[in-house]
Amino acid sequence: MRKPIIAGNWKMNKTAKEAEQLIAELKPLVKGAKPEVVVCVPYTDLWAVSKAIEGSKIKLGAENVAWADSGAFTGEISADMLKEIGVEYVIIGHSERRQYFGETDESVNARLKQALKKGLKPIVCVGETLTEREKNKTKRVLKKQVIDGFKDITAEDFASIVIAYEPVWAIGTGKTATAEDANKTIGFIRSLVKKTWGAQVGKELRIQYGGSMKPSNAKELMAMRNIDGGLIGGAALKAEDFAGIVNYKK
Ligand code: 13P
C-alpha cells in the first residue's frame, strides 16, 4: 500500500514571521492527519518552520537543491545546508523552475542525483504545457522528462522518490485536470516506470497530482487508483484550505 502524501509548495510566498503564523494555525488542524504531510517552503523560512513544526507530524521540505556539494555557485543552496536544518523533502524540476530559470531534464537529473546521494527525499515534478497538450504531445513530453530526468537512477533509488504530475496549464489557473484525466496520465507515468525500472518499482512509487488542487476537489482526485497525493500551491498558503486537503477523507 502506498501512503498518501500531501505536500504544500509555498513558492515565493511568506516571510519567516508569516511562516511561523501559518504553521501555528496549521498544526492543530492537521493533528490527526492520515496522509504524510509536508511543507516545502522558501529557503529563508526553513529555519523558522523547522522550529515551528516541532511536536507535530508536519515534515519539512525545500523548493530546490544544488547539484554540487559546495563551492562557487552563487545563489544556490546545498543539500548539507538543508539537511542541517532538518529538511527531509526537496522539490526538483518544478515547471516554474523550468519555465523561468532555465532548468532542463539534465539539471533536474543532476539535482536529483545529489539529493539522493545526500539522503534527501526528492519530489520530482513533470508535466506538459497547454500547447503540448493541444498538440497531443503529452505522453511524448512526459516520457522525455522521466527518461532523461531519471537517467542513471536505480530501482533502489526509487524507494525515496516521489513524482508530482503537474499539468502546467492547471497550475494557478483554477483549471484542474478531471480526476479521470489525471488518473489516466499518472497511470501512463506509472506504466513507464514499471517498464523501465520494473513492475515492483512502479507499483510502489508514489505519484502526486498538482494543479489547482483544493478542499473541494481533493476527495475526488484522491479517490483515483493511481493518485497518491497532491502538491499544493495556492491552497497551501491558507491553513484552513491546506488542512481541508490533508483531511480529504473526513
Ligand atoms: P496551484 O495549486 O496554485 O495550482 O499550484 C500547483 C503547484 O505548482 C504546486 O507545485
Side-chain angles (χ1 to χ4, degrees), residues 19-32:
E20 277 171 1
Q21 178 70 35
L22 176 52
I23 296 295
E25 288 168 20
L26 188 61
K27 264 165 105 169
L29 301 178
V30 299
K31 231 179 172 167

Side-chain angles (χ1 to χ4, degrees), residues 1-4 203-204 206:
M1 275 301 282
R2 303 185 297 260
K3 188 179 169 84
K203 202 174 139 195
E204 287 171 8
R206 292 187 293 177

Side-chain angles (χ1 to χ4, degrees), residues 9 11 94 96 166 170-172 210-213 231-234:
N9 172 12
K11 308 192 178 184
H94 191 276
E96 286 145 20
E166 300 203 309
I171 296 178
S212 299
M213 201 159 157
L231 188 56
I232 324 298

Side-chain angles (χ1 to χ4, degrees), residues 32-197:
K34 298 276 185 305
E36 204 173 339
V37 183
V38 184
V39 288
C40 300
V41 307
Y43 292 134
T44 48
D45 294 350
L46 285 171
W47 183 252
V49 172
S50 77
K51 298 287 157 214
I53 58 175
E54 273 175 13
S56 79
K57 283 189 191 164
I58 305 168
K59 294 175 176 174
L60 188 59
E63 298 178 16
N64 206 351
V65 62
W67 56 72
D69 285 351
S70 64
F73 297 96
T74 303
E76 286 287 302
I77 299 290
S78 78
D80 286 339
M81 294 169 183
L82 298 178
K83 288 205 72 179
E84 197 174 280
I85 306 180
V87 171
E88 190 174 332
Y89 282 91
V90 62
I91 297 173
I92 296 174
H94 191 276
S95 62
E96 286 145 20
R97 298 293 318 168
R98 297 177 191 254
Q99 190 179 348
Y100 305 123
F101 302 99
E103 296 265 358
T104 61
D105 294 328
E106 289 67 38
S107 66
V108 167
N109 183 249
R111 293 182 196 276
L112 172 59
K113 284 176 180 164
Q114 180 70 357
L116 291 167
K117 182 177 113 181
K118 295 288 184 175
L120 288 167
K121 297 174 185 165
I123 299 176
V124 183
C125 303
V126 297
E128 82 286 2
T129 63
L130 184 59
T131 325
E132 288 161 346
R133 183 180 177 83
E134 283 170 346
K135 287 185 179 161
N136 255 326
K137 284 186 179 163
T138 301
K139 285 187 179 173
R140 204 189 311 168
V141 168
L142 291 173
K143 189 170 176 187
K144 186 180 179 307
Q145 288 175 343
V146 171
I147 297 301
D148 293 354
F150 290 80
K151 188 166 174 270
D152 304 326
I153 298 306
T154 67
E156 291 72 43
D157 289 333
F158 268 95
S160 61
I161 292 174
V162 174
I163 292 183
Y165 167 60
E166 300 203 309
V168 179
W169 49 270
I171 296 178
T173 58
K175 286 185 199 154
T176 326
T178 64
E180 286 77 21
D181 211 17
N183 185 56
K184 224 163 98 185
T185 310
I186 290 178
F188 168 75
I189 297 170
R190 195 178 297 291
S191 65
L192 182 61
V193 170
K194 280 184 181 167
K195 222 187 305 172
T196 316
W197 286 276

Side-chain angles (χ1 to χ4, degrees), residues 188-249:
F188 168 75
I189 297 170
R190 195 178 297 291
S191 65
L192 182 61
V193 170
K194 280 184 181 167
K195 222 187 305 172
T196 316
W197 286 276
Q200 196 62 21
V201 173
K203 202 174 139 195
E204 287 171 8
L205 172 68
R206 292 187 293 177
I207 309 182
Q208 298 172 311
Y209 167 77
S212 299
M213 201 159 157
K214 43 189 179 261
S216 59
N217 60 25
K219 196 172 182 174
E220 195 192 353
L221 285 159
M222 292 301 293
M224 292 289 143
R225 195 161 58 93
N226 279 309
I227 303 180
D228 305 313
L231 188 56
I232 324 298
L237 300 174
K238 282 198 192 129
E240 215 172 278
D241 288 350
F242 188 61
I245 298 172
V246 168
N247 301 318
Y248 65 92
K249 274 206 166 141

